[in-house]
Amino acid sequence: MANRKNRKLLWSWIATAAAAVLFGALAADMGIWDTVLRFLFPNTDQVVYPRASLTTLLGEHLGLVIVSSLIAITIGVPLGTAVTRPWGRAFLDVVDDLTSLGQTIPPVAVLALAVPLLGFGFEPTVVALFLYSILPIVRNTISGLDGVSRDLVEAARGMGMTATQCLFKVEFPLAIRVIMAGIRISVVINVGTATAGAVIGAGGLGAPIIAGLVRQNPSFVLEGAIAGGLLAIIADQILARTEASLTVGMDSQQSAR
Amino acid sequence: MIELKNVTKKYGDFTAINDISFTVENGEVCVLIGPSGCGKSTTIKLINRMLEPTKGEILVDGREVRGERPDVLRRKIGYVIQNIGLFPHMTVAENIAVVPKLLGWERAKIGERTNVLLDLIGLDPQLYASKYPRELSGGEAQRIGVARALAADPPLLLMDEPFGAVDPLNRQVLQAEFLKIQRKLHKTVIFVTHDLDEAIRLADQIVLLDKGRVLQDDSPENLLSRPATKFVRNFVGTDRALKRLSRFSVGDHVRPPVSISLESDDFKRHLDALKTEGARFAWVTANDGTLSGWIDLHDLGGDEDPNSVITEIDPADTAIKTSFSMKEALSRMLGQGIKAAPVVDGANRLIGEISLSDIERLTEE
């Protein structure tokens, strides 16, 4: 059974990788974009954003998303774990409120507030994206770990697992789906939100969108929006495969023996 | 040996366990019983330090349990909880291997041990080792819970209402299996239940608790025949005599059967022998010894075909097995309206009989 599951997973990884490569090739071939956008907007002089190639924009965008998401994961998962431990329970409400607050402030406002402290560009955008994306990660880490039956934890501890062994051998494996779902949501939202970085000069796929809005050129907007949408879908698929790989790896340990 | 000495457990102002003391000898099954909230589960959690006592000493083989790190202590004590707690992300084999792995056993030794344990609980290792808990029935899961607790061969086993969530029919089967395993392994077991019949059936020693105090610490026989207080008398109920019957097993009281094989060549000689012995009824078996019915020897005076006077019976309804308790034997006899019940083995071969008067004699003892 695990074998068939593994093969299915391998194929879905191949399909996802192919989609990613195809998307990369599409981003690199400005000719196609020019043709399609010119067909859609025949009366516009300039249909493709001229100041940077789509690959450059995509690179900038990925940089923003990957850096901010990695920070959010490395802080969010341990934070969510800490407040579900007996010694950290007291901080559960505080952490919950603070992370919720991070998401209630609009990213654009965070950008504006971060500029005086961190200047323009990459850093303030990463800060804003981090604040915005940590909530789903912390929330899902908490609910994933809280969702693990108390009986199982009692059984694990009663059999002689230390608190750490119980966390890594029982609680994380059982909570991983929920935690990964939080990370997925967070990253996908992040891909969209990162376009706001263009406002303070962080570049990325937001750049053609902002330029298009300012210059009333819908073609630029569409260029950034399509690329951003496709990127979000591919990121979501890659994370879905990662999630499946993590849980299958866990399942097949025994049958591989 | 496990000794609890003047153990008290308080939660704020509430006293869950109030100055209890009792001793469990090695190789014995001690059942803690009492109404809910009496402190029976709390007591066993104090032994493996899932909880810490407010006052008092708990000694396992003369050593205070608090002298050891809780996780090290617990790996030496098997633990079975009511909701089993099999890890759903691990296979049956992985679940059983948890404690051996924590103890750093070699993989080959773990695999071997897993097979031994699955055999012990009557599940085919080939079939079950790689199954996941969701693919198991309630009874199977419970058996594997017990196998997991036995994995590292701990001398001491704590069982907190292990069969509480299983239906009554399966519970009896599990109890019988537990007794069979216990007779082989001689573990020191502390078993929590609120089911008196279960306690009477399994225990060498019963500690009856109420409101955190020990009301009586005695053998099951004494608890039933000499309840210490009015509360105990009420708790064990007015059907004490009947309950005592479940302490006796059919296997220990089965008598050789009066039987006759119809297909046997010297049927006539057998028949005459039985008649001279003064027997009136006889079980009828086929040549291979399987039970097919009974016969009234008075009906067989002349030359009529013996087959015409047999009362055929279905062993599944009427016959009992050696693993049954005398209480079950009695209820089978009353249900079928018979004064004696045939005892058969797994293949329905007649091996003996139990009569109503045998049971009567036991209740008079």
Side-chain angles (χ1 to χ4, degrees):
Chain A
M1 196 182 78
N3 248 338
R4 197 192 310 159
K5 232 172 166 183
N6 280 335
R7 201 169 311 141
K8 205 173 145 199
L9 186 65
L10 182 67
W11 278 113
S12 59
W13 265 119
I14 291 170
T16 309
V21 169
L22 213 65
F23 176 58
L26 182 68
D29 188 351
M30 290 317 291
I32 295 180
W33 290 86
D34 194 80
T35 316
V36 173
L37 291 171
R38 198 165 292 289
F39 172 74
L40 288 171
F41 304 101
N43 304 323
T44 311
D45 294 341
Q46 207 169 22
V47 289
V48 172
Y49 183 64
R51 302 200 25 208
S53 74
L54 202 50
T55 36
T56 314
L57 295 173
L58 199 60
E60 287 167 349
H61 202 87
L62 274 175
L64 288 171
V65 170
I66 288 171
V67 171
S68 63
S69 290
L70 279 181
I71 298 174
I73 292 166
T74 41
I75 292 179
V77 174
L79 192 64
T81 308
V83 297
T84 54
R85 302 301 95 190
W87 43 265
R89 271 284 158 194
F91 299 98
L92 181 65
D93 290 337
V94 182
V95 167
D96 205 37
D97 290 345
L98 279 179
T99 49
S100 304
L101 196 69
Q103 198 160 45
T104 51
I105 304 172
V108 179
V110 179
L111 289 178
L113 291 170
V115 166
L117 292 171
L118 298 166
F120 286 89
F122 187 76
E123 289 91 352
T125 311
V126 164
V127 169
L129 291 177
F130 159 73
L131 286 178
Y132 202 62
S133 58
I134 195 165
L135 173 87
I137 296 175
V138 172
R139 274 272 163 86
N140 279 40
T141 303
I142 292 172
S143 64
L145 290 172
D146 266 352
V148 176
S149 151
R150 291 298 97 194
D151 287 332
L152 294 179
V153 175
E154 196 201 320
R157 299 303 309 275
M159 292 166 75
M161 286 193 193
T162 62
T164 316
Q165 286 168 332
C166 178
L167 180 66
F168 284 98
K169 287 175 192 255
V170 176
E171 295 177 78
F172 270 140
L174 291 172
I176 193 74
R177 275 171 216 272
V178 182
I179 296 174
M180 278 305 297
I183 291 172
R184 254 171 94 179
I185 294 170
S186 169
V187 170
V188 170
I189 293 178
N190 224 346
V191 170
T193 316
T195 51
V199 177
I200 55 165
L205 295 171
I209 297 176
I210 304 281
L213 290 172
V214 171
R215 285 152 64 172
Q216 296 189 333
N217 182 334
S219 178
F220 288 2
V221 177
L222 206 61
E223 180 190 347
I226 289 173
L230 289 174
L231 180 63
I233 291 169
I234 285 166
D236 183 55
Q237 285 307 301
I238 289 173
L239 287 165
R241 296 297 93 81
T242 311
E243 182 190 330
S245 302
L246 282 173
T247 47
V248 159
M250 210 169 59
D251 278 356
S252 61
Q253 261 170 24
Q254 184 61 34
S255 27
R257 197 179 278 164
Chain B
M1 193 168 73
I2 301 157
E3 296 161 273
L4 274 77
K5 291 182 180 168
N6 306 103
V7 175
T8 296
K9 172 70 182 174
K10 286 183 180 175
Y11 294 102
D13 285 341
F14 174 71
T15 309
I17 302 284
N18 195 349
D19 192 31
I20 66 169
S21 304
F22 65 88
T23 305
V24 183
E25 298 297 334
N26 280 344
E28 302 232 306
V29 178
C30 169
V31 172
L32 302 180
I33 191 168
S36 41
C38 70
K40 49 194 192 294
S41 288
T42 309
T43 306
I44 69 165
K45 287 188 177 134
L46 292 172
I47 296 169
N48 69 355
R49 296 189 62 190
M50 295 295 277
L51 297 170
E52 300 289 353
T54 314
K55 250 192 280 181
E57 282 188 295
I58 298 169
L59 308 169
V60 174
D61 290 328
R63 290 190 8 220
E64 167 63 48
V65 291
R66 275 173 291 179
E68 228 166 348
R69 253 172 51 201
D71 45 301
V72 176
L73 173 81
R74 289 176 196 148
R75 288 170 201 170
K76 296 188 288 194
I77 302 178
Y79 190 42
V80 185
I81 60 174
Q82 172 168 10
N83 297 315
I84 316 169
L86 288 185
F87 303 125
H89 60 296
M90 297 183 190
T91 61
V92 165
E94 286 172 319
N95 265 289
I96 293 174
V98 168
V99 178
K101 266 188 193 160
L102 290 173
L103 291 171
W105 288 19
E106 281 168 31
R107 183 177 281 194
K109 190 179 166 195
I110 295 177
E112 211 173 289
R113 180 73 185 151
T114 307
N115 288 347
V116 169
L117 284 165
L118 284 172
D119 277 333
L120 180 75
I121 56 169
L123 299 176
D124 181 1
Q126 293 283 320
L127 229 61
Y128 283 88
S130 54
K131 281 198 180 192
Y132 282 91
R134 62 169 185 276
E135 302 169 280
L136 303 170
S137 74
E140 289 167 347
Q142 196 52 261
R143 284 184 184 89
I144 287 156
V146 173
R148 186 174 67 170
L150 290 169
D153 205 14
L156 171 58
L157 213 55
L158 302 178
M159 306 178 85
D160 192 351
E161 304 207 25
F163 311 141
V166 186
D167 62 274
L169 202 69
N170 260 311
R171 194 182 308 161
Q172 290 200 356
V173 175
L174 287 170
Q175 287 165 356
E177 276 175 16
F178 169 79
L179 281 176
K180 213 168 83 189
I181 292 173
Q182 171 62 8
R183 276 189 208 116
K184 242 187 264 176
L185 303 180
H186 302 289
K187 300 289 176 189
T188 309
V189 182
I190 299 190
F191 190 110
V192 165
T193 183
H194 59 257
D195 177 352
L196 186 62
D197 291 311
E198 182 167 80
I200 289 164
R201 189 159 182 207
L202 304 180
D204 297 307
Q205 172 190 5
I206 294 183
V207 176
L208 177 61
L209 298 166
D210 184 45
K211 301 195 181 85
R213 286 180 175 281
V214 175
L215 295 187
Q216 189 164 357
D217 171 6
D218 226 325
S219 68
E221 288 84 0
N222 279 342
L223 187 82
L224 292 170
S225 54
R226 286 189 282 281
T229 65
K230 200 167 169 235
F231 180 91
V232 180
R233 184 178 293 273
N234 286 336
F235 188 81
V236 298
T238 46
D239 58 343
R240 288 181 286 146
L242 206 54
K243 286 207 170 86
R244 269 190 74 213
L245 282 181
S246 58
R247 289 289 300 166
F248 305 112
S249 89
V250 166
D252 293 340
H253 295 87
V254 63
R255 289 190 292 123
V258 179
S259 69
I260 191 161
S261 170
L262 279 189
E263 295 158 16
S264 158
D265 294 334
D266 37 44
F267 173 74
K268 272 283 176 204
R269 211 159 46 86
H270 260 135
L271 187 67
D272 292 338
L274 285 176
K275 277 186 172 170
T276 25
E277 278 168 29
R280 162 110 196 241
F281 299 99
W283 304 111
V284 176
T285 56
N287 251 355
D288 60 353
T290 54
L291 180 69
S292 56
W294 60 270
I295 198 164
D296 184 341
L297 299 176
H298 287 192
D299 292 345
L300 266 180
D303 299 325
E304 61 268 77
D305 178 10
N307 283 308
S308 64
V309 291
I310 296 178
T311 310
E312 283 187 7
I313 53 178
D314 180 0
D317 291 336
T318 315
I320 53 181
K321 301 212 160 94
T322 50
S323 61
F324 280 33
S325 72
M326 290 299 261
K327 189 181 167 189
E328 287 167 295
L330 175 65
S331 98
R332 184 60 63 98
M333 284 185 232
L334 294 177
Q336 294 287 320
I338 48 180
K339 288 207 171 66
V343 181
V344 297
D345 65 8
N348 283 331
R349 279 190 296 266
L350 184 71
I351 50 181
E353 65 181 26
I354 293 275
S355 73
L356 214 48
S357 54
D358 295 333
I359 293 173
E360 239 168 345
R361 221 172 319 110
L362 278 176
T363 56
E364 283 158 9
E365 271 169 17

